[in-house]
Amino acid sequence: MSAVIEITGLRKTFRTLRHGGRVAVDDFDMVVEAGQVHGFLGPNGSGKTTTLRALLGLVNADAGELRVLGEPAPEQLARVAGRVGAIVESPQFFGNFTGQRTLRLLAVAGGVPTSRVDEVLEQVGLHDRGQDRVKGYSLGMRQRLAVASALLKNPELLILDEPANGLDPAGIREMRDLMRTLAESGVTVLVSSHILGEIQLICDHVTIISRGRRVAAGRVDDVLAGHDQHEWQVRVGDPGRGAELLRAAGLTVTAHPDDLLVVGGTREPELISSTLGGQELWVRELTPIRPDLESVFLELTAAPAPPRQADGTTPDGTGTGGADPGGTDPGGGRLIELDRNDGRRVDA
């Protein structure tokens, strides 16, 4: 497979009037191969949205190389813009327009046949509400309309930032099915989401970012396997005696009133069964405890933030790091961007 997104050494720093420099993304790498449904995960303020905005030419990176569908971004992004659909942050629509009219205007502006409007409304489950005004849409329906707008161009690459925001469980499932269907049809999907259970169900690969740096990347199964502690839940009639027998066999055991937690390697099930069964203490339950994406995510992103100095910077003077811009920073200072071409300050 060939890469449709390549990010190498991305760095982006924002300035705040109160705290000075704030590193949003620092030496970040990511590769998304063709045909993948790729999850992009990170806590609020970790640098996800800044990365997506840099990839789409919405902010200027301070350093690094970015390529989209083989073209350098943002320099040659116009060459492939017609093959990319994207939603970054919360889209805004005219409330008095119907969903269908909104998409028709976008189709005309983008040189897309208006016949695509009904097709994408059907895809996202809004066909029956296409004639309704957008101001009457729920938050979840607006999210679906945004996804429909990104699908108008029938893109090869679809970038979605929190597409399930505001959706009810049925809507989340429909969004999941839509992304899998798109992937099966050859569309590459890069999706950022806080619903980690959905990401684990939807995505083939994942990249996790924390405080502006990549902390994990790879196939979802491989990332989970790398954090597997080989723990087993064991239930027997006499947990106390069972714990003694297993410890005598060299296993690490934590005894609870109703069960035992055994930590070991891949051959422990056989050893547990033979050790207990050999003493006629029969195993009622032997269940592997496997990490899920949520537990791995929390483990990888739970490192303490660098200490602040009196002026709000970290000891190296580079700022607190890892914050996405959002109008104001958590400390209350307005965020500004230094244009790398002429040094002008631009409100972010």
Side-chain angles (χ1 to χ4, degrees):
M1 292 188 295
S2 59
V4 297
I5 293 176
E6 299 171 271
I7 301 175
T8 305
L10 175 63
R11 181 180 176 85
K12 178 62 183 176
T13 301
F14 290 90
R15 300 284 177 182
T16 69
L17 296 177
R18 178 174 297 181
H19 298 308
R22 183 179 293 276
V23 180
V25 185
D26 188 14
D27 197 27
F28 178 76
D29 300 338
M30 180 166 65
V31 176
V32 178
E33 302 285 352
Q36 289 182 355
V37 180
H38 194 111
F40 187 25
L41 307 179
N44 288 336
S46 62
K48 297 192 308 297
T49 299
T50 294
T51 299
L52 296 179
R53 294 180 71 193
L55 191 66
L56 296 170
L58 300 177
V59 298
N60 290 325
D62 300 327
E65 296 183 4
L66 304 92
R67 302 184 73 87
V68 177
L69 294 171
E71 297 291 344
E75 294 83 3
Q76 302 299 328
L77 197 57
R79 292 185 179 182
V80 294
R83 299 157 58 193
V84 179
I87 306 171
V88 179
E89 299 179 302
S90 299
Q92 300 296 319
F93 299 108
F94 291 110
N96 286 324
F97 287 6
T98 66
Q100 187 177 67
R101 184 183 180 190
T102 297
L103 294 179
R104 283 183 176 276
L105 290 172
L106 292 172
V108 171
V112 176
T114 55
S115 59
R116 281 287 295 162
V117 171
D118 288 335
E119 294 174 11
V120 296
L121 283 172
E122 185 71 38
Q123 275 185 289
V124 301
L126 281 180
H127 190 268
D128 293 339
R129 300 294 300 272
Q131 297 296 331
D132 294 350
R133 293 185 179 184
V134 173
K135 66 181 180 181
Y137 283 8
S138 66
L139 176 59
M141 292 172 65
R142 289 172 186 250
Q143 285 295 109
R144 296 187 194 194
L145 184 62
V147 173
S149 69
L151 291 173
L152 276 173
K153 294 180 286 186
N154 201 13
E156 296 176 33
L157 169 62
L158 184 62
I159 299 174
L160 301 176
D161 189 12
E162 299 293 341
N165 183 34
L167 296 181
D168 59 18
I172 291 173
R173 181 173 182 176
E174 290 174 3
M175 190 65 68
R176 179 207 313 163
D177 293 341
L178 173 60
M179 283 187 272
R180 294 307 312 179
T181 299
L182 290 170
E184 291 168 2
S185 69
V187 179
T188 302
V189 182
L190 174 62
V191 55
S192 167
S193 177
H194 286 102
I195 306 177
L196 302 183
E198 282 300 305
I199 290 293
Q200 188 167 343
L201 290 172
I202 295 169
C203 295
D204 318 298
H205 292 70
V206 67
T207 298
I208 302 178
I209 184 174
S210 179
R211 294 176 176 84
R213 287 182 171 270
R214 190 179 77 177
V215 294
R219 293 186 57 85
V220 173
D221 290 344
D222 293 339
V223 171
L224 297 180
H227 293 263
D228 192 342
Q229 301 299 314
H230 301 292
E231 297 176 330
W232 304 86
Q233 182 185 41
V234 182
R235 294 185 186 274
V236 292
D238 187 345
R241 181 169 173 242
E244 292 177 2
L245 293 172
L246 293 175
R247 288 179 183 131
L251 295 172
T252 301
V253 183
T254 301
H256 300 289
D258 298 322
D259 60 18
L260 305 173
L261 178 65
V262 182
V263 181
T266 57
R267 294 186 57 82
E268 262 51 29
E270 294 88 347
L271 181 56
I272 292 169
S273 298
S274 62
T275 298
L276 297 176
Q279 299 297 319
E280 297 188 351
L281 185 60
W282 308 114
V283 176
R284 297 176 177 176
E285 181 180 337
L286 180 57
T287 306
I289 300 175
R290 297 290 182 253
D292 57 19
L293 193 56
E294 180 177 1
S295 63
V296 171
F297 174 85
L298 293 174
E299 177 184 342
L300 290 171
T301 60
R308 276 186 165 185
Q309 298 186 26
D311 62 356
T313 65
T314 54
D316 62 4
T318 59
T320 56
D324 264 346
T328 59
D329 75 331
R334 284 191 72 192
L335 290 175
I336 57 176
E337 178 185 350
L338 292 183
D339 190 291
R340 64 177 180 173
N341 296 318
D342 58 14
R344 291 177 302 170
R345 298 195 318 189
V346 181
D347 286 344

